[in-house]
């Protein structure tokens, strides 16, 4: 996106790794150390607002902030570089289509139908 529109404000907020259902609970594969690496790669890719979504803890966010403090962005990472440093984008081939967190972004309901986006109540 930033290659096509360098002045665009891009927001990057990833899950803390790939979610897995283990013993009745969702666990995320991303470590705190990976959060800092992710933040720097997101900045290298042109993101200007960087944070986290599902599975991130205060420690993950702190690691991102520390990794970005006084950081000078480098070259844009390739998909292969991102996967080699952070791991695969999904657990299995054919799984995916968005993330499945409770706020509904990109998630699918039963039998693959698209679920509508939830709105916050005010």
């Amino acid at each position: 996106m930033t290659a096509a529109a360098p002045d665009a404000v891009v927001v990057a907020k990833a899950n803390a790794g790939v979610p897995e259902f283990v013993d009745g609970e969702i666990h995320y594969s991303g470590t705190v150390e990976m959060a800092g690496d992710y933040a720097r790669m997101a900045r290298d890719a042109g993101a200007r607002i960087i944070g986290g979504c599902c599975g991130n803890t205060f420690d993950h966010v702190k690691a991102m902030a520390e990794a970005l403090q006084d950081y000078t962005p480098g070259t844009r990472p390739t998909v292969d570089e991102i996967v080699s440093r952070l791991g695969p984008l999904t657990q299995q081939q054919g799984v995916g289509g968005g993330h499945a967190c409770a706020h509904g972004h990109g998630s699918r309901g039963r039998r693959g139908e698209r679920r509508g986006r939830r709105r916050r109540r005010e």
Side-chain angles (χ1 to χ4, degrees):
M1 294 171 109
T2 58
D7 293 332
V9 176
V10 174
V11 177
K13 57 175 213 160
N15 286 357
V18 178
E20 296 180 66
F21 194 68
V22 179
D23 296 327
E25 294 183 11
I26 299 293
H27 294 269
Y28 289 85
S29 60
T31 65
V32 171
E33 294 76 23
M34 289 172 74
D37 203 22
Y38 150 77
R40 285 187 170 194
M41 284 190 288
R43 185 67 186 106
D44 291 344
R48 294 198 296 183
I49 299 172
I50 300 166
C53 194
C54 302
N56 284 279
T57 65
F58 292 117
D59 291 334
H60 288 89
V61 176
K62 180 181 177 187
M64 289 181 218
E66 289 174 352
L68 292 170
Q69 189 171 15
D70 300 322
Y71 180 68
T72 301
T75 58
R76 184 181 310 274
T78 65
V79 172
D80 288 339
E81 289 171 321
I82 294 167
V83 169
S84 73
R85 289 166 62 184
L86 298 180
L89 302 177
T90 63
Q91 291 175 324
Q92 305 169 2
Q93 292 289 35
V95 175
H99 64 275
C101 60
H103 54 83
H105 297 207
S107 59
R108 297 186 183 274
R110 292 185 187 166
R111 295 188 209 122
E113 71 267 11
R114 193 89 175 144
R115 237 177 37 189
R117 190 171 187 160
R118 295 180 186 172
R119 297 179 188 212
R120 286 194 173 137
R121 295 181 191 177
E122 296 188 34

